[in-house]
Amino acid sequence: MTDFTPRIPTGLSAALDRRRLLRGLTVGGLGLAFAGQAPLQALARSSGERAKFVAIIARGAMDGLSVTAPHDDPAYVALRGGLALPPPTETGGTLALTQGFGLHPALKGLHQAYGEGRMRFAPAVAIPTRVRSHFDAQDMLESGGERLHQSDTGWLNRALAAAGGRGLSIGAQTPLILRGPAESSSWAPGGRIGGDERLAALLQDLYVEDQLLATSLARGLETEALAESGLMAGAGPRRGDVAALAGSVARLMTGETGADVVALSIDGWDTHARQAGQLQARLTQLDLLISGLKQGLGEEWARTIVMVATEFGRTARVNGTQGTDHGTASTLLLTGGAVKQGGPIGDWPGLSDAALFEDRDLAPTLDIRGVFKGVLRDHLGVDRAALDRAVFPDSAAEAPAVSGLV
């Protein structure tokens, strides 16, 4: 997502004006390539009535215990050691949320949305099958199935088929979550997207038992991530411009031909070593991305929900290289002008020894599909029968997480 190589726009839908797109979307030196799987469909509803939904996948297992830190949990500081974040009352502390939680200090834009009643979080969600392989877990997260390799289509594509609308994926390849029979288009900001970062994630897994190699690799990744986010004094030109990306995506979502549902990924969350610096950089990028979408969408933001989900969480205990390993439950974030005020989604299991899953992980209290169902039902208008049978097959026992979610 951070490697932008200028490319010439090709394959535009006939409904899009080529010159307008080039004039409006070429920003910060970014050239756009838009290659649709099929022409964008027109909705029966007018542009002003269409709900917008952005699904952001944090690939690599985002550490929910740092994103929404449970600083009031008696076991938190002892478990997290040097990764424990101070409470909001202390210098450098988290940003105050409800019920003893604090938002990571890098997420200032999201915290502003929380103060406006436009951000909610689920602190202990997980996919239905307990796996710690990135690829298997991402497959389940995006397919929406009960078990591994249950479907070769994605739940967001099936939701589009049920509700109607126009889908758009951001990246060199359409992710599984948007693959399927419903028509969608894709836009690649240019070049490879995330290839280097996915290689780095594989190396982190390989080096997890070797403290020296793991720490050296993590130090390099931390430095690169900080440089990309513009957090290092005197940093040179960045490979990626998150604000420009957000603005471009927002423009592809607005107007009569704009996309209604968007899927994109942020890689680099596999923080086995030296986690603090890497997480600071990634969360800063995430916050800039969401803030940029809000600014770019303008009035459309009032009808928009942005969801941030990850394949699984990370271990509750810090490891020997000041990182964390593959875990189970993590945090899901919801924000946007269409989100209604409310408390945490789902229960908090606690971090006591007896409460940990397999004596190592935050235990899940909510199937992540319950949150997906709540958003799809209340925001995109997918009825419960379609959710239970088509969007998430054989999932009737899993109800939408809460009523009035949005």
Side-chain angles (χ1 to χ4, degrees):
M1 195 173 120
T2 54
D3 184 11
F4 296 105
T5 303
R7 296 172 61 187
I8 301 299
T10 58
L12 292 174
S13 166
L16 296 175
D17 181 278
R18 181 184 181 89
R19 286 173 296 177
R20 178 182 57 80
L21 187 70
L22 285 168
R23 184 170 59 250
L25 298 183
T26 302
V27 291
L30 301 183
L32 308 186
F34 193 95
Q37 293 173 285
L40 297 178
Q41 293 178 341
L43 287 180
R45 293 172 290 169
S46 70
S47 175
E49 297 173 338
R50 281 167 23 206
K52 304 288 184 177
F53 178 60
V54 181
I56 300 175
I57 301 174
R59 296 188 186 277
M62 181 177 70
D63 181 30
L65 292 175
S66 292
V67 176
T68 52
H71 52 75
D72 277 4
D73 192 296
Y76 172 69
V77 173
L79 277 173
R80 302 299 276 180
L83 296 182
L85 296 170
T89 54
E90 297 183 13
T91 302
T94 58
L95 308 171
L97 300 173
T98 188
Q99 298 185 26
F101 290 92
L103 195 64
H104 192 283
L107 297 172
K108 293 180 175 61
L110 270 178
H111 191 251
Q112 180 179 342
Y114 176 79
E116 297 167 352
R118 301 301 183 185
M119 195 278 277
R120 297 188 66 182
F121 64 99
V125 297
I127 57 177
T129 297
R130 305 292 166 252
V131 294
R132 294 194 178 95
S133 158
H134 290 299
F135 303 104
D136 287 344
Q138 288 173 20
D139 179 272
M140 291 200 67
L141 176 72
E142 297 182 62
S143 70
E146 285 272 352
R147 57 189 181 276
L148 287 174
H149 312 303
Q150 183 176 346
S151 176
D152 58 2
T153 64
W155 63 264
L156 194 51
N157 184 281
R158 298 193 296 270
L160 274 175
R166 297 190 281 269
L168 172 69
S169 66
I170 307 300
Q173 294 182 332
T174 301
L176 175 59
I177 193 172
L178 257 184
R179 292 180 204 160
E183 295 178 351
S184 66
S185 296
S186 62
W187 171 58
R192 286 196 321 275
I193 297 194
D196 294 341
E197 290 170 337
R198 297 195 183 188
L199 175 60
L202 292 173
L203 289 173
Q204 284 180 299
D205 284 350
L206 181 64
Y207 293 164
V208 68
E209 301 296 335
D210 189 314
Q211 183 170 340
L212 179 61
L213 289 175
T215 303
S216 296
L217 175 63
R219 186 180 294 114
L221 292 173
E222 178 185 3
T223 301
E224 181 181 14
L226 288 170
E228 289 172 6
S229 297
L231 302 176
M232 295 176 62
R238 291 173 289 171
R239 284 194 306 160
D241 187 334
V242 177
L245 173 66
S248 298
V249 173
R251 280 187 284 275
L252 288 168
M253 295 176 65
T254 55
E256 291 296 331
T257 59
D260 305 297
V261 171
V262 174
L264 61 89
S265 300
I266 300 178
D267 293 323
W269 303 89
D270 198 21
T271 51
H272 287 288
R274 295 174 63 89
Q275 175 174 298
Q278 295 184 68
L279 202 57
Q280 173 75 26
R282 296 304 177 207
L283 290 174
T284 298
Q285 290 180 320
L286 176 64
D287 202 58
L288 286 170
L289 176 63
I290 294 173
S291 296
L293 287 171
K294 178 181 179 180
Q295 180 178 355
L297 285 170
E299 294 182 358
E300 297 275 14
W301 183 251
R303 295 177 288 278
T304 299
I305 287 181
V306 177
M307 179 193 74
V308 183
T310 193
E311 67 262 34
F312 49 70
R314 307 198 71 81
T315 49
R317 296 183 182 89
V318 62
N319 63 27
T321 58
Q322 284 302 296
T324 52
D325 301 319
H326 297 178
T328 305
S330 188
T331 292
L332 179 146
L333 300 171
L334 291 174
T335 189
V339 173
K340 291 183 179 178
Q341 189 169 14
I345 303 168
D347 296 326
W348 175 246
L351 294 173
S352 67
D353 289 344
L356 293 179
F357 177 71
E358 295 185 349
D359 192 37
R360 53 171 278 163
D361 301 340
L362 175 66
T365 61
L366 183 63
D367 187 320
I368 199 168
R369 296 173 303 167
V371 184
F372 298 161
K373 282 186 173 185
V375 173
L376 295 177
R377 181 193 64 184
D378 295 351
H379 186 54
L380 296 186
V382 183
D383 66 58
R384 179 67 189 275
L387 289 171
D388 292 347
R389 293 198 298 264
V391 182
F392 302 99
D394 305 319
S395 68
E398 191 59 47
V402 288
S403 295
L405 181 64
V406 298

